[in-house]
Amino acid sequence: MGNSALKSHLETSQKTGVFQLTSKGLQEFPEELQKLAANLRTVDLSANKIEVLPAAVGNFLQLKSLTLNANRLAELPAEIGKLKKLETLSLNGNRIQQLPPTLGQLRALRTLNLSGNQISEFPPGLGTLRHLDLLDLSRNKIRSVPAAVSELQTIELNLNQNQISVLSGDVSLCPRLKVLRLEENCLELSSIPQSVLGGSQVSLFSVEGNLFEVKDLRDLEGYEKVRTTFCHAPFRACGR
């Protein structure tokens, strides 16, 4: 991309507070954006080839939405925790394996999209995100949902297309959780905690494509209290 075109984008962003530059083959986070750090509210650099999110991203203190879908990020800098006004962080389709502890400092965050990365363990420390509406961890490599999940404040938790075979009953303790998606995982019927069906706030429980027939849930106590989905999702292979 030529300097003149980038300059034009920067001039527009100076006025609007929005910088969007997608599918341009960018290999680095544009250093020139630093000049606009004081007033940018939205940045979208999706579908590029960015491998590193610089520590300087912590200077964008007015940022409300940061989208870097379909890049090549392997990690996030600790400085991302400085973005106190950030409401949407979308990092689908990268190579992220784990999250920095400082992510829990994003107290204004409402949407956290991490679908299609390489996360193998359920991320700890997200219970401080008390305004979270959606946590999307679908299409990763997570094998179990630990008891610490009870700290989550999210309304929707998407864990579709992982490798989950263990689901802690403490998920039923999530105070705001209404939608729990676990399609195409490795769950046995015996792995479904009764508390999720009968003792939680969950009203939509999506489990098609696991190691049991969804209709068999009808025999479990509490089934009538939740709505389950019956879409015909393709079965996900579970390594055994």
Side-chain angles (χ1 to χ4, degrees):
M1 180 176 195
N3 288 335
S4 60
L6 179 57
K7 183 179 179 181
S8 176
H9 273 78
L10 291 171
E11 290 175 352
T12 301
S13 299
Q14 181 80 46
K15 301 172 184 176
T16 64
V18 177
F19 185 84
Q20 183 176 28
L21 200 58
T22 61
S23 305
K24 298 296 183 183
L26 295 179
Q27 297 184 349
E28 297 179 347
F29 190 91
E31 187 176 344
E32 296 87 348
L33 278 185
Q34 287 295 323
K35 301 173 183 176
L36 305 179
N39 69 330
L40 273 184
R41 298 186 308 276
T42 299
V43 171
D44 185 353
L45 293 167
S46 296
N48 283 292
K49 301 177 181 179
I50 299 171
E51 296 184 2
V52 176
L53 188 59
V57 73
N59 297 330
F60 291 76
L61 300 180
Q62 303 304 314
L63 208 58
K64 289 190 173 184
S65 176
L66 177 60
T67 302
L68 285 154
N69 296 333
N71 275 280
R72 300 177 180 178
L73 299 174
E75 59 183 4
L76 301 176
E79 288 77 5
I80 200 166
K82 296 179 180 179
L83 306 181
K84 305 300 185 184
K85 295 185 178 181
L86 198 66
E87 296 179 0
T88 298
L89 178 58
S90 192
L91 299 163
N92 298 334
N94 279 279
R95 303 171 181 177
I96 297 167
Q97 297 182 26
Q98 58 185 14
L99 306 177
T102 53
L103 201 69
Q105 297 173 13
L106 301 178
R107 303 299 170 85
L109 203 63
R110 293 185 175 277
T111 300
L112 178 55
N113 290 323
L114 291 160
S115 178
N117 279 280
Q118 298 179 15
I119 299 170
S120 58
E121 295 187 2
F122 196 92
L126 299 181
T128 53
L129 306 178
R130 299 195 174 275
H131 298 288
L132 204 60
D133 293 329
L134 170 64
L135 174 58
D136 188 350
L137 291 164
S138 61
R139 297 190 298 117
N140 277 283
K141 301 179 179 180
I142 299 170
R143 294 180 178 273
S144 65
V145 180
V149 70
S150 64
E151 301 172 358
L152 283 181
Q153 301 290 322
T154 189
I155 294 174
E156 177 174 347
L157 175 58
N158 188 342
L159 290 164
N160 289 348
Q161 292 182 307
N162 277 275
Q163 300 167 17
I164 296 169
S165 60
V166 177
L167 175 62
S168 171
D170 286 355
V171 71
S172 65
L173 301 178
C174 295
R176 301 173 69 228
L177 189 63
K178 300 291 187 184
V179 179
L180 178 56
R181 302 186 188 278
L182 284 157
E183 292 181 15
E184 296 181 67
N185 277 282
C186 303
L187 291 165
E188 303 273 4
L189 184 62
S190 59
S191 303
I192 305 298
Q194 186 275 327
S195 59
V196 175
L197 297 176
S200 73
Q201 301 291 322
V202 174
S203 57
L204 176 60
F205 187 39
S206 183
V207 287
E208 187 74 31
N210 279 276
L211 302 179
F212 61 90
E213 295 291 334
V214 175
K215 59 182 174 61
D216 293 339
L217 279 176
R218 295 170 181 166
D219 298 329
L220 299 183
E221 184 178 351
Y223 169 80
E224 68 283 352
K225 296 182 180 180
V226 300
R227 182 162 60 93
T228 53
T229 61
F230 287 83
C231 60
H232 295 287
F235 180 73
R236 180 173 179 81
C238 297
R240 290 183 176 272

